[in-house]
């Protein structure tokens, strides 16, 4: 049975060349990307900002930030598929935006049943025996702060620095006492389209549209099964 | 570990005699004094070697974590379920819509439900029509006071434009249907 995350979040990052100045609430509402109530709330949000360098739009369910080199949208408080629609809508409307990469990101915080379980996860994910040779356990405590793995398709010999990959991070939760936090970054490179049928922005939109659901299903399953295996008696 | 900002040495990069005067760079090297060795006296790994691989994790006595006040950011919730719904039919007389719901978390089967239109935000009312897609997020919220609340939020999908890929897919499907009919 899949474990239930106490806190679940999702974000989408699009790397490319953007003009933050156009991402006003008026523009989003006029393009029917925002409803009237959401738009009204966003106009009166404390952090509403639109300049040549940065745009920030916040509603009850997302925070959108646009810089010259990236667009980031974070769901607030819960996982919300609506952020997919917003990003796909923006990329389809701005079909000639140069886009280089897309990141589909998911994070989850799990509460452990006991402090012992919490330490067990860290000890098994990053065994301390090697380090205790230098820092004896009778006088030093060693704890896992952050563990990041990069998963590329292909063998280790074929591993390359670029290309599609998954970055998986495990760390203590900063929001839940004796909690464990995972983050999953599904990174997609957007290369030049060989047949010229779709622009890079349109291709990026199709990545977000088609990959978001399988990506979050993989992420949730991976988080849950990793904890099951680390905590197995 | 401390830093002193005095110039310790001036380095000149090797160049030909004719150009040495032009390219004689001064490099400011901070003088580093370190107390690392005193604070972190390392034991000799060879003398105190432990077996690297063990069947069970090394048992370590840890100090119990301090009793910290539980941080409960207001409004933070546990997502219990996210459902994607597609409107099957709408009854304005009864103010309800029938929808096909697909749960997105866990192994839960699709089902059909009748939803009161009163749950639809005013801004989404004009989006209600057969075929329209919406999302329902079911969350458990723990307030600052520690009370547990349930939150259901319904929001309609907003996709103002078709993506070119969607158009191409539809064209391909239409062509396939056309060919199927033509072959009869």
């Amino acid at each position: 049975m899949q474990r239930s995350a106490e806190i679940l979040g999702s974000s989408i990052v699009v790397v490319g060349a953007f003009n933050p100045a156009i991402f006003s609430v008026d523009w989003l509402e006029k393009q029917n990307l925002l409803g009237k109530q959401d738009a009204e709330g966003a106009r009166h949000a404390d952090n509403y900002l639109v300049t040549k360098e940065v745009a920030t739009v916040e509603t009850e369910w997302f925070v959108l930030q646009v810089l010259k080199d990236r667009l980031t949208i974070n769901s607030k408080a819960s996982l919300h598929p609506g952020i997919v629609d917003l990003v796909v809508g923006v990329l389809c409307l701005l079909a000639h935006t140069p886009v280089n990469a897309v990141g589909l990101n998911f994070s989850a915080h799990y509460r452990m049943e006991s402090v012992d379980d919490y330490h067990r996860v860290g000890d098994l994910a990053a065994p301390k025996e090697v380090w205790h040779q230098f820092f004896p356990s009778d006088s030093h405590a060693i704890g896992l702060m952050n563990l990041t793995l990069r998963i590329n398709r292909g063998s280790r010999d074929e591993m390359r620095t670029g290309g599609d990959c998954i970055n998986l991070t495990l760390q203590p939760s900063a929001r839940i006492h004796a909690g464990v936090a995972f983050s999953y970054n599904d990174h997609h490179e957007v290369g030049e389209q060989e047949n010229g049928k779709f622009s890079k922005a349109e291709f990026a939109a199709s990545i977000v549209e088609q990959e978001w659901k399988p990506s979050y299903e993989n992420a949730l399953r991976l988080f849950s099964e990793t904890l099951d295996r680390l905590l197995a008696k | 570990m401390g830093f002193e900002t005095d110039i310790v040495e001036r380095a000149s990069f090797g160049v030909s005699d004719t150009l040495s005067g032009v390219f004689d760079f001064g490099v400011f090297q901070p003088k580093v004094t370190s107390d690392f060795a005193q604070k972190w006296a390392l034991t000799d790994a060879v003398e105190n070697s432990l077996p690297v691989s063990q069947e069970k994790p090394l048992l370590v006595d840890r100090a119990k974590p301090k009793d910290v006040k539980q941080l409960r950011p207001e409004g933070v919730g546990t997502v219990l379920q996210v459902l994607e719904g597609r409107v099957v039919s709408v009854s304005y007389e009864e103010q309800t819509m029938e929808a096909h719901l697909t749960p997105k978390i866990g192994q839960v089967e699709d089902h059909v439900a009748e939803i009161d239109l009163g749950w639809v935000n005013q801004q989404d009312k004009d989006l209600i029509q057969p075929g329209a897609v919406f999302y329902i997020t079911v969350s458990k919220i723990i307030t600052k006071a520690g009370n547990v609340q349930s939150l259901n939020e319904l929001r309609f999908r907003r996709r103002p434009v078709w993506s070119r890929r969607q158009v191409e897919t539809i064209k391909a499907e239409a062509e396939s249907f056309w060919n199927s009919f033509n072959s009869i």
Side-chain angles (χ1 to χ4, degrees), chain B residues 13-155:
Chain B
F13 294 86
V15 292
S16 68
D17 290 337
T18 56
L19 294 175
S20 60
V22 177
F23 293 101
D24 196 1
F25 296 99
V27 177
F28 292 85
Q29 296 275 7
K31 185 177 173 185
V32 175
T33 57
S34 169
D35 58 359
F36 182 87
Q38 287 78 40
K39 270 188 186 173
W40 300 97
L42 301 178
T43 56
D44 188 334
V46 174
E47 283 179 13
N48 300 313
S49 62
L50 292 169
V52 174
S53 62
Q54 289 180 270
E55 282 184 13
K56 294 178 183 176
L58 184 68
L59 294 175
V60 176
D61 277 336
R62 282 190 180 74
K64 297 288 180 192
K66 295 177 193 174
D67 282 335
V68 294
K69 196 175 172 184
Q70 269 286 21
L71 297 175
R72 291 190 183 278
E74 188 172 16
V76 170
T78 304
V79 173
L80 301 176
Q81 185 57 267
V82 175
L83 301 111
E84 180 174 309
R86 188 174 293 275
V87 178
V88 175
S89 62
V90 186
S91 169
Y92 288 103
E93 298 82 27
E94 294 175 21
Q95 284 291 294
T96 58
M97 62 180 179
E98 193 180 353
H100 182 99
L101 298 176
T102 303
K104 288 187 168 295
I105 295 178
Q107 306 298 321
V108 184
E109 288 183 1
D110 292 8
H111 52 279
V112 175
E114 193 174 82
I115 299 172
D116 194 306
L117 295 185
W119 288 103
V120 179
N121 292 327
Q122 191 60 39
Q123 67 180 5
D124 290 343
K125 295 272 192 199
D126 59 346
L127 299 174
I128 304 173
Q129 60 179 334
V133 175
F134 60 90
Y135 309 109
I136 298 176
T137 306
V138 181
S139 307
K140 181 177 78 173
I141 304 285
I142 300 175
T143 67
K144 258 188 175 175
N147 295 320
V148 179
Q149 296 178 351
S150 168
L151 175 69
N152 297 331
E153 191 183 2
L154 190 155
R155 196 175 288 277

Side-chain angles (χ1 to χ4, degrees), chain A residues 115-130:
Chain A
V115 171
D116 286 340
D117 277 357
Y118 166 72
H119 287 306
R120 188 180 167 86
V121 169
D123 287 340
L124 286 171
K128 313 296 189 303
E129 294 89 333
V130 169

Side-chain angles (χ1 to χ4, degrees), chain A residues 212-230:
Chain A
W212 191 85
K213 182 169 179 263
S215 196
Y216 102 81
E217 284 173 346
N218 283 341
L220 292 189
R221 194 185 72 245
L222 186 62
F223 298 161
S224 179
E225 289 183 12
T226 299
L227 283 176
D228 284 345
R229 285 170 199 241
L230 290 175

